[in-house]
Amino acid sequence: MTTQGNRLKKIRKELRLSQEEFGKQIGLSRAAIAAVEADNNNFSQDVLCKLILTFDININYLLVGKGNAFNAPEFEQVKDELALEVRKILREEGLIK
């Protein structure tokens, strides 16, 4: 079973942000983000609201692991389309088969 900290780390990595960059966008230090990812702390209600408003995170996913990580269903589709496009370009450039 994944923990809230594991799910937060997954979200942060999907956004391709360091702990410092992620924290800065919601007004927290790198150490505060690291503590939550290590399951040593939980976010306050105010910070949870900032996560939703800033990154459109699905709070049900973050808290209990239900649903998609992000509220916008198109995020997953865009992510998949982008990955396909990158693979196509890499093939055209002869960097992958």
Side-chain angles (χ1 to χ4, degrees):
M1 183 172 146
T2 64
T3 65
Q4 183 177 336
N6 294 136
R7 290 186 294 273
L8 178 70
K9 186 174 184 176
K10 180 180 182 248
I11 288 169
R12 180 180 59 77
K13 288 187 176 255
E14 281 193 43
L15 292 168
R16 298 175 192 236
L17 295 172
S18 68
Q19 289 177 334
E20 185 174 352
E21 294 165 331
F22 187 79
K24 197 177 286 186
Q25 291 196 39
I26 56 172
L28 295 175
S29 67
R30 185 212 57 79
I33 300 300
V36 173
E37 288 184 0
D39 293 309
N40 293 328
N41 286 341
N42 289 319
F43 287 133
S44 69
Q45 202 167 1
D46 288 341
V47 174
L48 291 173
C49 289
K50 285 181 186 178
L51 286 169
I52 294 166
L53 294 172
T54 304
F55 300 111
D56 202 18
I57 290 172
N58 175 357
I59 199 70
N60 290 324
Y61 172 81
L62 181 60
L63 295 179
V64 297
K66 236 177 158 90
N68 293 321
F70 297 91
N71 286 318
E74 64 272 5
F75 177 79
E76 293 299 321
Q77 182 180 351
V78 169
K79 185 175 80 170
D80 293 341
E81 289 172 8
L82 183 58
L84 289 172
E85 189 64 27
V86 168
R87 282 189 210 107
K88 178 182 168 190
I89 292 168
L90 292 173
R91 271 192 219 101
E92 288 171 359
E93 296 296 320
L95 298 170
I96 64 170
K97 293 182 179 188

